[in-house]
Amino acid sequence: MTDVARVVVVDDDRAIRWVLERALAQPDLEVETLDRADRALERLLEAPPDVLVTDIRMPGIDGLDLMAKVREVHPELPVIVMTAHSDLDSAVASYQGGAFEYLPKPFDVDEALALVRRAVAHARERRRPVSVPEGLDAEIIGEAPAMQEVFRAIGRLSHSHITVLINGESGTGKERVARALHQHSPRTGKPFIALNMAAIPKDLIESELFGHEKGAFTGATAQRQGRFEQADGGTLFLDEIGDMPAETQTRLLRVLADGEFYRVGGHTSVKVDVRIIAATHQNLETLVEDGRFREDLFHRLNVIRVHLPRLSERREDIPRLARHFLAEAAKELATDVKVLTPEAEAHLTRLPWPGNVRQLENTCRWLTVMASGREVLVEDLPQELREPGATQGNTGDWRTAFRDWADRALAAGHTHLLEEAVPDFERILIETALKHTGGRKGEAAELLGWGRNTLTRKLKTLLPALAEGE
């Protein structure tokens, strides 16, 4: 039999009390309505309900004062605050006072009922003990095969001072891997200094890296150490190395070769012992071919390369990562750890995550602040993650979907994948190009980058029905 939850409604408006009394008249809910907060206070302190629903503005003490007094004695009580004055101050005051949720009037009765049920579930969840994930690696989390390769690389390099280049999309955790490489190296205990090339104005990069002498330029009122000096004996992590200006590339190459440099405006060389770990989301080989990155510097940096996979390539890690980030966010914000329902966890696992691990981390921080209950449901997720199609892997990233298909096909024992995939790939492109040109084959061939004869030949092989119109 379902437990009956007790709900107390406090509002001086008789019509609101009447509406809520009837809306909440459910087999699993017992409703009591009161017209004044001061009259309700003593009863609430003696016998707290499962959920309190209160208006803000009432004679005597107001709803915010009522909430504060009751929560002093019963801090776990979920309170839903109602008000006809739907302004920012009321909303902020409600949440700052510890409200479970804020319900502006007029409200939909179904919405109010759903909110009360959420609050009841929240109250019951709070009574159950929390199991905070234990033993989570504070550096990097990953059980997926691609991440195991990263761990192996860190292990192999643990006794080395060698230069490392980390490749991976934005948000994949390149700095975390760089820190792990440093912490598991002979340089652990020495400085780890990180610098993002893309975040510094070009005219300040050399000063940031190498420091400057007093009077070297306007505003240089004192001598300043650069990141190389700060990292002496330790590791310098240069993120987004592909954005480094050409003249700075030349100076960096000299430092890597000689182990010394001059501060901006200086005449005395400075010797340092620094290990370089560089990272980029760009294809450095392409930048070299285009003349935007020095080939000799590329070979200096590309001694050992570590590739970080996209989050969509390591979906089995998403639940553990989410639990870790929710625990981190709760600690950071000094609040309870949110727990994902199995449905929410499964939904998160299916998402494409174009922003990779950083997007998941920010989502967990958002949920820690915004989700009403301790248990996180699918409907608690940000709207853009709940939209129809959000879990489909084809949201602009066809390569991920194609890679997933290849993984599944090989796992199922398929062979000769190219013979299967290439005709389908070309057929889809041809059909789409013809759709965009209204069936005009010459224009379709141009869209595809083919000659007219090539398209004609492909049509005869792949789409003979369409070729008959030739």
Side-chain angles (χ1 to χ4, degrees):
M1 182 177 174
T2 305
D3 292 335
V4 176
R6 183 165 157 259
V7 181
V8 170
V9 176
V10 184
D11 198 314
D12 61 330
D13 186 329
R14 181 185 297 175
I16 294 293
R17 296 199 305 273
W18 184 88
V19 166
L20 284 176
E21 195 169 16
R22 277 150 187 78
L24 302 178
Q26 305 291 321
D28 57 336
L29 298 176
E30 175 189 306
V31 186
E32 179 182 358
T33 61
L34 301 164
D35 62 351
R36 288 177 65 100
D38 47 7
R39 293 173 186 165
L41 181 58
E42 185 176 347
R43 179 165 174 71
L44 289 168
L45 292 176
E46 288 177 358
D50 291 284
V51 178
L52 170 61
V53 183
T54 179
D55 190 24
I56 287 185
R57 301 191 182 183
M58 293 178 288
I61 65 172
D62 66 18
L64 296 180
D65 288 335
L66 174 65
M67 176 170 64
K69 292 179 186 298
V70 174
R71 284 178 60 84
E72 279 179 14
V73 181
H74 305 291
E76 305 299 313
L77 175 65
V79 181
I80 298 170
V81 174
M82 302 181 294
T83 179
H85 305 276
S86 308
D87 55 60
L88 178 61
D89 289 343
S90 296
V92 170
S94 299
Y95 288 122
Q96 286 181 339
F100 172 78
E101 196 54 272
Y102 172 78
L103 185 62
K105 299 175 183 177
F107 51 78
D108 180 85
V109 291
D110 291 334
E111 179 188 349
L113 175 59
L115 193 53
V116 167
R117 289 197 187 284
R118 287 286 313 282
V120 169
H122 171 74
R124 289 174 175 163
E125 178 67 25
R126 292 293 286 264
R127 296 185 196 120
R128 294 203 292 267
V130 179
S131 58
V132 179
E134 298 290 340
L136 289 171
D137 188 339
E139 298 170 45
I140 321 167
I141 291 169
E143 297 174 359
M147 287 306 296
Q148 291 301 308
E149 283 301 314
V150 174
F151 294 164
R152 288 190 191 99
I154 293 171
R156 292 189 194 106
L157 293 166
S158 61
H159 300 295
S160 171
H161 298 269
I162 201 164
T163 301
V164 178
L165 177 63
I166 303 171
N167 268 116
E169 290 184 1
S170 295
T172 48
K174 295 188 287 293
E175 184 169 342
R176 284 182 184 248
V177 170
R179 285 186 184 276
L181 283 165
H182 170 74
Q183 288 163 7
H184 295 277
S185 79
R187 295 174 183 261
T188 185
K190 299 292 185 179
F192 175 88
I193 304 295
L195 187 64
N196 188 324
M197 296 289 105
I200 303 170
K202 285 182 168 53
D203 54 347
L204 294 180
I205 283 182
E206 292 207 7
S207 174
E208 281 289 330
L209 279 172
F210 308 114
H212 60 250
E213 299 289 352
K214 180 179 179 180
F217 50 83
T218 303
T221 57
Q223 185 191 80
R224 180 181 179 277
Q225 281 192 345
R227 301 305 174 96
F228 265 99
E229 284 180 85
Q230 294 169 14
D232 191 22
T235 301
L236 178 60
F237 173 55
L238 300 176
D239 199 4
E240 298 305 347
I241 192 78
D243 290 316
M244 180 178 279
E247 58 272 18
T248 311
Q249 292 178 31
T250 302
R251 288 200 66 181
L252 176 60
L253 183 64
R254 200 168 298 134
V255 178
L256 292 176
D258 304 335
E260 60 182 36
F261 60 90
Y262 292 88
R263 298 190 191 100
V264 175
H267 303 287
T268 305
S269 69
V270 179
K271 289 193 74 68
V272 288
D273 171 24
V274 173
R275 180 194 196 181
I276 296 293
I277 298 177
T280 181
H281 73 280
Q282 301 180 71
N283 186 320
L284 287 187
E285 286 95 334
T286 301
L287 295 183
V288 169
E289 289 172 8
D290 294 344
R292 289 184 288 151
F293 200 85
R294 290 187 61 124
E295 185 173 6
D296 44 6
L297 177 59
F298 168 70
H299 291 304
R300 277 273 182 186
L301 296 172
N302 192 38
V303 181
I304 298 290
R305 189 182 296 212
V306 176
H307 174 71
L308 289 191
R310 292 191 294 267
L311 186 55
S312 59
E313 295 173 333
R314 44 184 293 223
R315 295 186 183 279
E316 56 266 66
D317 291 336
I318 290 175
R320 191 160 177 243
L321 282 165
R323 291 193 290 271
H324 174 67
F325 290 139
L326 287 170
E328 274 194 340
K331 184 178 179 182
E332 174 191 328
L333 300 167
T335 187
D336 294 329
V337 179
K338 302 288 184 181
V339 179
L340 295 167
T341 62
E343 294 78 16
E345 195 172 270
H347 183 87
L348 291 178
T349 304
R350 291 192 297 268
L351 293 173
W353 298 111
N356 294 300
V357 176
R358 185 183 298 124
Q359 184 187 5
L360 176 61
E361 182 177 10
N362 290 337
T363 298
C364 290
R365 189 175 285 113
W366 186 95
L367 288 169
T368 299
V369 174
M370 301 299 292
S372 301
R374 191 181 75 178
E375 230 182 12
V376 177
L377 311 177
V378 172
E379 47 265 39
D380 290 321
L381 298 175
Q383 185 174 353
E384 65 273 14
L385 300 185
R386 289 185 278 118
E387 294 291 337
T391 57
Q392 295 174 7
N394 63 352
T395 52
D397 189 3
W398 63 270
R399 293 173 184 83
T400 299
F402 189 52
R403 184 177 282 104
D404 289 345
W405 170 81
D407 280 341
R408 289 194 302 271
L410 290 172
H414 290 211
T415 58
H416 301 90
L417 248 60
L418 284 173
E419 292 178 14
E420 182 179 348
V422 171
D424 285 343
F425 182 75
E426 291 185 339
R427 188 180 297 110
I428 290 166
L429 285 175
I430 292 168
E431 288 174 338
T432 306
L434 288 169
K435 174 185 170 186
H436 278 262
T437 63
R440 293 183 290 276
K441 297 181 177 65
E443 293 178 25
E446 189 174 340
L447 288 178
L448 294 168
W450 285 340
R452 176 66 181 258
N453 290 341
T454 301
L455 178 61
T456 301
R457 188 176 68 255
K458 296 283 187 183
L459 281 170
K460 287 177 180 176
T461 305
L462 301 170
L463 296 161
L466 292 176
E468 290 173 4
E470 282 293 308

